Amino acid sequence: MTTLTGALSIDWMLLLVCAWIVIALAGLVAPKSFRYASRVLYPAGALVGLLLALTAFIALGGTPETMVLPLGLPDLPFHLRLDSLSALFLVLLGGSAAGISIFSAGYLRQAEGALPGLQSLQYHLFLASMALVLLADDAYAFMVAWESMALSSFFLVTSDHRLPEIRRAGYLYLLIAHIGAISILLCFGILQGNGHVGVAGYTFANMRSIDHSVFWSSAAFGLALLGFGAKAGLLPLHVWLPEAHPAAPSPVSAMMSGVMLKTAIYGILRVSFDLLHHPLWWWGVSVLALGLVTALFGVIYSAVQSDMKRLLAYSSIENIGLLFVGIGLALTFQSFGMTGLAALALTSVLYHCLNHAAFKSLLFLVTGSVLHATHTRSLGKLGGLIHRMPWVAWLGLVGALASAGLPPFNGFVSEWLLLQAFLFTPGLPHGYINMMVPVAAAAVALTAALAGYVMVKFFAVIFLGRPREENLAHAQDAGTLERIGLSWLAALCVALGLFPVYVIEKLDLVTRPLLGTGIYGAAGAHNWLFLAPIDPGRASYAPVVFLLSIAVIVAATMFIVHRFWRGRTRITGAWDCGFPVQTARMQDTAEGFGQPLRQVFEPFYRMQRELPSSFDKQPFYRVVVDDHFWYWLYLPAARAAEFGAKMVAFLQRGRISIYLMYSFITLVVLLFLIRG
Amino acid sequence: MSSAPALVLQFLELILALLAAPLLTGWVNQCRAWLGNRSAPPLTQFYRQLAKLFEKEVVLADNASSLFRAAPYVIFACMALASMIVPTLSTDLPFAPAADAIALVGIFALARVFAALAGMDIGTSFGTMGARREMLIGFLAEPALLMVFFTASLISHSTSLSTIVETLGQREFAIYPSLAFAGVAFTMVSLAENARIPVDNPTTHLELTMIHEAMILEYSGRHLALIEWAASLKLYAYSCLGLALFFPWGIPETTGPLSMLVALSSLVLKLAIGGFLLALIETLSAKLRIFRAPEFLGTAFMLAVLAMLVHQLLETAT
C-alpha cells in the first residue's frame, strides 16, 4: 500500500525497526545513566512501537509487499515480506511494546540488575529482532532474526546474573531455545526441497511453490511443531517457562510471555498454512491432543504455585495449549476441505493471540509493580494491597477477569469462538474424530473454569484480605508512567472484549489469504453490535449490550436501594465469631487456596510433604510441588548425555602414542574402504 | 426483531423473575418444612426477610475495599441479566441474542468470581474458606453445565437459548437418550450451584459445612439482601432453564395475551412441581463431605460428556 509520500508500508516498517536498533545502540552512549534510559530511550521505544502498530494496521488490508536487503552473506541476501499474517502479529508486537516500554520507563530503578544502557540495548534489540522474525521471507533471515531474538532475550532474562538460580534459568532457556532452533532449521531444510541446489531455494517463495510428498511434508510439519513448540512452551518442552519468567525483570517477562510466545504461534501458522499446502487430518488431531494436554497441565500446575510470576508462567502454558487446540482444529477442518470452519477456528486462534498478549502482559507488569512495592514475589507475603495500590489493583482486576475468560472482557470472546468451532465438529466426515469432540470440548471447558480458579487466587491473595506482612503497610502505588503502561494494556483488554465484530473484520484480512475464506461475512451480517460467526440464529453474543445491561441494572439497583432505604453504614471491625484474636495469618495462603486442587488432582503432581508431628516445639509444614517431566524426561536425558560424554572421554587417554595410533587406524580403515 | 411488544414482554419477564424468585425460594422452604414434619413459614417469608434486611444498616468491616461494596450489585445484576435471557414466557426475547448459552455460563461464572473475591476481601478465615470451596465447586460445575448446553446445542444446531428451546419444544415426543443423561447432569449441577443439600446447605451456619454462607458471612443489611435476592434469582433462573431445556412444552413463540396466560400458568405449575421435587431431594439426601463434592460433580461432568457421546453415537446416525 502506498502512503502519501509514495513509500511502501514495508519501507516504513523497516525504518521503524531501524529506529529500534538505533535506540538500542544509543544506549551505549551513556550506559550508566539511569535518567537517559528511563526518560529518553524507553519512551522513544514506546513511540516507535505505537507507530509500528499503526503502520502494520494500515498494511493489514494491503497486498503483500516484498523487499530484498543487500545484507547477509554474498549471494544470500535477506528477503523481507509484509503480508497480512505478519502485519497482524506486528500490530500485536507494536501494541504490546508501546505499553510495556512506557511501563519500563517508569519501572527502571537505579542499581538494579544490569546497567540501564545495556539493558535498553538488549531490550530494543529484542524488539527489533522479533519484528524481523515476523518480516523475514527466507530461511536465512528468519533464522538470523530468530537467533538474535533468543540471544537478546537470554541476556534480558539473566540481567540479574549474580544470582545462581537466574543463571541456571537462563541456561535452561538457552538450551531449549536451541533444541527448537535446530529443529526449525531442519524443517526449512526439508521445505527447501531438492529441486534447487543453488541459492534461490532458501526463500519462502520457493518453499511455497513446492508440492512436497506426504512423507516429507509430515516430517517438515513435525519438525516445525517441535521447534516452534519449544519456543511456545508446548509440552514436554515447557520447563523453561516457569524458570525464565520469574528470573527475568517483569517488563521482560511481559514481553516474552505476551509477544515472544506469539512469534512461535506465528511460525507454526506460517509453516502449516502458508508454506505447506495440504494439511493431513492427523496433524490436526495430534496438535489438538498436544494442545489439550498442555492446556490442562498448565492450568493444574498454575493453581498450586505460590510465586506470582511462576503462577502466570504456568497460566501462559495453559493459554499456549488453548492456542494449539485452535490450530489443531483449524488444520483438521482444513484437511477435510471445510474452509469456512477452518476460518472460524483460525480466527479464534488469532483473536486469542491478541487477547493473551494484552492480558498476560498486563498481569506480568502488575506483578512488576507489586514486586517493586513489596520486594517479594511470594504470594504468602502479600495481601491487602488494594488499599495501598488502588491503580495497580483495579487495572490488575481487568487483566485477571480477562484471563479468567469472563464476559464482557476479551478472554471470553476467543474462548467463545473456540467453543463454537467445537460445536461444528459433528460435520466432520470421520467417525473417530467426531467421537473425540465431546472429550476435547469438555477438556477445554474444564481448563477455562480452572483458569477462573487460578485468577481468583492470583488476584485475591495479592490484593485482597489483610496484609500478611508488616512492611506491606508502606507499599507505594505505581508511578505515572507505569500507570500509563498498565492502563493502555487494560484498555486493549476492554476494547478487544467489547468490539469483537470490528476485530473479526480485521482478522478476516488474515484468514482470507491463508484459507480463502473468512467469517466476517456472517459475523457482521447482523450488525456491528452482535457477534454471530455463522448466522444469528445459530449463535450470537453482544458484549456491549451485555455490559450496558449490567451497568443499567447496577445503577438502577443502587438508585432504588439508596432512594428508598437511605443506606446507613456503620464501619467497625470484622465479625470475629466471638473469638477476639483475628490475625492476618488466619487467612488462606496461596498454598491453602490451592490445596483443594492439590487434593483433587493429586496424581498429576510430584509432591514432597513435610508434616509436623504433634510433639514439635515449632511446628513446621512444607510442601514442594514439582513437575513430573523433570523426573520422567529431563533428568534421564541429562544422565544419558553425561553417560555418553563419559564414554567418549574413554578415548581421551592423554598419551601421544595412543592418539597417533588412532590416526593410524583411521588411515588404514579409510584406505581399505577406498580400495574396496 | 426487537418489536415493541417483545421489549415490553422482556421487561415483564424481568419483573416476573424479580417477584417470583423469592416466592419460589419460599415455596421450596415450605415444602422442606412439610417434608421434615415442621410447621412451614408462610410463602411470603422471603419477602419479609428482604424487607427487613433492606431496612437494617450495613455493618462494614473497617478494611473492606470498594470491591466488597460493589460486589453485591454486580452479583445481583448478573443474576437479573441471566433471568432475562432464559426463555420463560416466550422465546421471542430481544435480549436473547446478546448472550447465548455459553455467555450464560459466563454470567454465572462472573457472579461467582465476584462473590469469591468479595469473600476474600475482608481477610477472615471464614470468608477465604468459603471462597476457596465455592471456587472448588464452581470449577467442576461450570464445565458440566457447559457440556449440558453443548448436548442441547448439538441437537438443535444452535447455542442460542431461544432457538434451543424452540427446537426442543417443537420436536415430536421422542425420547432422546442424550437428553436423559444431560438432564441428570443438569440436576446435579443445579443442586451444587444453588448451594443445595448434597453439596451445601443454605440454612447451615456450622463452620465445617458452610460453603456459600461462609463466603457471604461478612455481608449485612442491604448488601446481604441483594445477595440473598440474587441467590433466589439464581435458583429461579436454573429452574426455568431446566424446565425450558427438558420440559419445553408450553412456552409459546408468539406474543399474545392468551398465549401469555397459558405460558404463565404452565410455568407456575412446572415451577411448583420442580420446587417440590427439589425439596424432596434435599430432604432425602444427606450432605456430602466437602471432598466428596468433587466426586459428585465429577459424576455430573462425566454424565454430561456421556450425553454428548451418546448423541454422537446414537442420534446422528443418518
Side-chain angles (χ1 to χ4, degrees):
Chain A
M1 177 176 287
T2 40
T3 45
L4 290 176
T5 49
L8 291 165
S9 298
I10 196 166
D11 296 333
W12 286 109
M13 204 60 84
L14 198 64
L15 200 68
L16 291 167
V17 173
C18 289
W20 263 339
I21 296 177
V22 168
I23 295 172
L25 295 176
L28 291 176
V29 176
K32 285 183 186 166
S33 168
F34 154 77
R35 208 158 237 299
Y36 174 55
S38 70
R39 293 288 170 268
V40 180
L41 295 179
Y42 280 102
L47 183 68
V48 173
L50 201 59
L51 291 175
L52 187 91
L54 281 178
T55 319
F57 188 73
I58 293 166
L60 205 54
T63 47
E65 296 166 15
T66 54
M67 180 187 254
V68 182
L69 286 185
L71 285 173
L73 298 174
D75 276 351
L76 285 178
F78 281 178
H79 293 70
L80 300 184
R81 184 163 181 267
L82 179 64
D83 62 2
S84 51
L85 182 63
S86 18
L88 179 78
F89 280 86
L90 283 165
V91 170
L92 185 154
L93 167 67
S96 320
I100 297 172
S101 296
I102 201 78
F103 178 91
S104 306
Y107 181 79
L108 215 59
R109 294 285 189 280
Q110 201 102 38
E112 194 172 89
L115 290 178
L118 292 184
Q119 213 163 344
S120 151
L121 170 78
Q122 291 147 3
Y123 177 78
H124 288 105
L125 280 183
F126 181 39
L127 293 181
S129 56
M130 278 196 282
L132 284 176
V133 164
L134 300 175
L135 284 170
D137 194 34
D138 64 60
Y140 179 46
F142 188 92
M143 288 316 293
V144 168
W146 186 262
E147 283 296 281
S148 5
M149 181 175 89
L151 282 179
S152 49
S153 54
F154 164 75
F155 286 120
L156 285 168
V157 167
T158 54
S159 60
D160 260 338
H161 55 87
R162 284 172 195 86
L163 301 174
E165 71 262 23
I166 288 184
R167 286 202 299 275
R168 183 172 163 270
Y171 175 72
L172 182 68
Y173 168 52
L174 201 63
L175 186 74
I176 292 185
H178 279 91
I179 293 175
I182 291 168
S183 174
I184 296 170
L185 196 60
L186 289 176
C187 160
F188 285 143
I190 293 175
L191 284 174
Q192 185 174 345
N194 39 19
H196 297 262
V197 189
V199 256
Y202 74 108
T203 59
F204 284 175
N206 170 51
M207 296 179 190
R208 228 171 259 135
S209 68
I210 301 176
D211 223 353
H212 298 276
S213 68
V214 171
F215 175 77
W216 285 115
S217 53
S218 301
F221 180 78
L223 283 167
L225 186 64
L226 178 68
F228 293 115
K231 191 56 124 189
L234 204 59
L235 232 61
L237 294 171
H238 63 283
V239 287
W240 64 271
L241 268 149
E243 302 298 324
H245 282 309
S250 292
V252 176
S253 312
M255 207 60 195
M256 286 172 71
S257 183
V259 185
M260 191 186 74
L261 299 187
K262 305 306 169 320
T263 60
I265 300 292
Y266 163 81
I268 196 91
L269 290 179
R270 176 65 77 195
V271 169
S272 50
F273 288 98
D274 188 18
L275 302 185
L276 292 169
H277 306 291
H278 308 293
L280 303 174
W281 67 265
W282 60 267
W283 297 359
V285 174
S286 26
V287 172
L288 179 65
L290 209 54
L292 276 180
V293 175
T294 307
L296 266 178
F297 172 89
V299 77
I300 288 175
Y301 269 76
S302 155
V304 296
Q305 299 306 317
S306 49
D307 175 322
M308 57 182 174
K309 289 178 86 177
R310 274 178 87 92
L311 182 146
L312 290 184
Y314 275 112
S315 151
S316 291
I317 295 179
E318 170 226 328
N319 281 290
I320 287 294
L322 287 180
L323 284 170
F324 274 90
V325 169
I327 294 174
L329 213 51
L331 283 170
T332 314
F333 282 131
Q334 175 79 344
S335 70
F336 289 111
M338 303 154 91
T339 45
L341 298 179
L344 176 63
L346 191 61
T347 308
S348 92
V349 171
L350 297 173
Y351 209 128
H352 198 64
C353 279
L354 296 174
N355 291 343
H356 186 245
F359 66 68
K360 198 48 66 68
S361 309
L362 174 62
L363 290 178
F364 266 117
L365 295 185
V366 163
T367 65
S369 293
V370 171
L371 185 63
H372 264 173
T374 64
H375 308 289
T376 181
R377 287 201 313 264
S378 164
L379 290 171
K381 294 180 178 160
L382 297 167
L385 286 176
I386 194 169
H387 301 287
R388 302 291 316 167
M389 311 175 71
W391 274 86
V392 177
W394 287 102
L395 293 172
L397 182 64
V398 172
L401 293 179
S403 178
L406 294 174
F409 294 99
N410 59 355
F412 179 76
V413 182
S414 43
E415 205 173 276
W416 189 83
L417 286 170
L418 183 64
L419 288 173
Q420 291 293 348
F422 265 112
L423 279 174
F424 281 98
T425 35
L428 286 171
H430 198 294
Y432 289 112
I433 304 182
N434 277 341
M435 297 306 299
M436 116 209 138
V437 176
V439 182
V444 169
L446 183 63
T447 311
L450 278 168
Y453 191 101
V454 171
M455 281 303 134
V456 167
K457 169 177 167 172
F458 173 81
F459 185 80
V461 174
I462 296 179
F463 292 108
L464 303 179
R466 300 178 202 194
R468 292 183 177 77
E469 296 280 317
E470 279 171 13
N471 64 350
L472 297 182
H474 310 296
Q476 295 282 326
D477 204 355
T480 320
L481 287 173
E482 290 183 40
R483 284 181 200 172
I484 295 175
L486 293 173
S487 310
W488 165 252
L489 291 169
L492 286 182
C493 286
V494 174
L496 284 169
L498 287 186
F499 307 106
V501 176
Y502 182 72
V503 179
I504 283 174
E505 185 190 347
K506 294 293 164 198
L507 292 183
D508 246 27
L509 300 171
V510 183
T511 56
R512 267 180 213 286
L514 289 183
L515 301 171
T517 179
I519 63 168
Y520 177 66
H526 205 43
N527 59 40
W528 68 274
L529 264 179
F530 288 87
L531 173 63
I534 312 302
D535 69 81
R538 170 124 202 174
S540 62
Y541 167 56
V544 176
V545 178
F546 186 97
L547 183 64
L548 276 181
S549 2
I550 290 206
V552 166
I553 299 175
V554 166
T557 321
M558 274 190 173
F559 175 74
I560 292 172
V561 166
H562 287 271
R563 175 79 185 70
F564 290 99
W565 291 281
R566 260 177 292 297
R568 279 165 301 146
T569 307
R570 180 153 56 96
I571 296 191
T572 170
W575 188 52
D576 54 13
C577 315
F579 181 70
V581 192
Q582 288 272 331
T583 68
R585 298 191 62 82
M586 289 177 182
Q587 305 172 83
D588 265 14
T589 54
E591 287 83 3
F593 200 82
Q595 189 266 348
L597 285 198
R598 248 188 6 241
Q599 190 154 347
V600 173
F601 294 105
E602 194 165 2
F604 291 86
Y605 305 114
R606 186 190 167 91
M607 267 191 287
Q608 294 169 311
R609 277 208 199 90
E610 285 175 33
L611 299 176
S613 92
S614 28
F615 302 107
D616 285 349
K617 280 263 166 53
Q618 284 196 315
F620 181 73
Y621 169 78
R622 197 173 76 108
V623 59
V624 180
V625 180
D626 263 339
D627 197 333
H628 274 309
F629 281 91
W630 275 111
Y631 300 89
W632 290 347
L633 181 66
Y634 286 87
L635 292 182
R639 272 199 289 275
E642 228 166 282
F643 182 73
K646 260 189 205 136
M647 288 292 104
V648 176
F650 176 76
L651 292 173
Q652 193 180 9
R653 310 302 287 203
R655 283 169 60 187
I656 196 137
S657 56
I658 300 231
Y659 295 145
L660 284 175
M661 197 182 76
Y662 289 155
S663 313
F664 179 69
I665 292 173
T666 315
L667 200 65
V668 170
V669 169
L670 282 177
L671 282 173
F672 184 77
L673 283 178
I674 292 167
R675 282 286 294 173
Chain B
M1 45 152 274
S2 46
S3 54
L7 271 174
V8 171
L9 189 74
Q10 177 78 73
F11 192 65
L12 278 180
E13 200 160 294
L14 176 64
I15 299 293
L16 175 73
L18 290 177
L19 292 180
L23 277 184
L24 178 65
T25 311
W27 167 245
V28 174
N29 286 341
Q30 225 170 18
C31 291
R32 270 170 56 139
W34 286 332
L35 287 168
N37 213 3
R38 287 177 279 130
S39 56
L43 201 58
T44 52
Q45 179 63 31
F46 203 81
Y47 288 130
R48 297 181 194 178
Q49 212 169 321
L50 286 181
K52 181 188 78 184
L53 285 173
F54 273 120
E55 203 54 52
K56 284 195 163 191
E57 67 176 357
V58 169
V59 181
L60 209 59
D62 43 16
N63 66 335
S65 69
S66 30
L67 192 139
F68 185 80
R69 287 158 164 247
Y73 296 97
V74 175
I75 296 167
F76 183 75
C78 284
M79 291 310 161
L81 184 60
S83 52
M84 269 164 87
I85 55 180
V86 174
T88 46
L89 294 182
S90 149
T91 53
D92 178 24
L93 296 172
F95 264 75
D100 64 348
I102 304 176
L104 183 68
V105 177
I107 298 176
F108 287 135
L110 187 66
R112 176 169 45 240
V113 164
F114 265 92
L117 289 178
M120 293 188 72
D121 186 53
I122 307 293
T124 59
S125 39
F126 271 121
T128 48
M129 181 194 78
R132 159 166 40 99
R133 290 181 172 177
E134 176 86 359
M135 292 311 289
L136 171 70
I137 304 291
F139 93 78
L140 279 164
E142 189 185 315
L145 180 62
L146 202 54
M147 290 305 108
V148 170
F149 285 147
F150 265 35
T151 311
S153 335
L154 285 174
I155 294 173
S156 57
H157 301 288
S158 167
T159 58
S160 150
L161 281 169
S162 304
T163 319
I164 292 177
V165 173
E166 270 172 33
T167 323
L168 294 181
Q170 279 166 356
R171 65 168 197 232
E172 68 272 39
F173 190 80
I175 292 173
Y176 283 76
S178 60
L179 275 186
F181 280 110
V184 176
F186 181 81
T187 313
M188 293 168 84
V189 170
S190 322
L191 289 173
E193 283 271 35
N194 287 294
R196 293 282 145 181
I197 264 193
V199 180
D200 192 0
N201 186 350
T203 52
T204 187
H205 280 101
L206 188 68
E207 60 183 294
L208 290 175
T209 53
M210 274 194 291
I211 300 176
H212 186 79
E213 290 298 317
M215 189 170 60
I216 60 170
L217 203 59
E218 277 298 324
Y219 276 116
S220 54
R222 55 177 186 276
H223 292 158
L224 184 61
L226 283 174
I227 288 186
E228 294 285 352
W229 204 348
S232 75
L233 272 172
K234 190 176 185 183
L235 179 65
Y236 175 82
Y238 262 91
S239 313
C240 290
L241 252 179
L243 296 175
L245 286 181
F246 305 107
F247 308 96
W249 305 286
I251 299 178
E253 287 157 37
T254 53
T255 48
L258 189 67
S259 57
M260 276 308 94
L261 211 62
V262 173
L264 194 62
S265 47
S266 77
L267 180 72
V268 169
L269 189 69
K270 286 194 283 188
L271 279 178
I273 298 173
F276 177 75
L277 288 178
L278 174 63
L280 194 64
I281 292 175
E282 282 202 90
T283 315
L284 291 180
S285 48
K287 192 182 167 306
L288 295 167
R289 274 177 58 212
I290 181 76
F291 275 104
R292 295 275 172 223
E295 288 169 22
F296 178 81
L297 285 166
T299 314
F301 189 31
M302 287 302 144
L303 281 173
V305 174
L306 207 60
M308 283 177 79
L309 274 171
V310 165
H311 173 77
Q312 299 280 29
L313 273 176
L314 300 179
E315 292 157 22
T316 49
T318 45

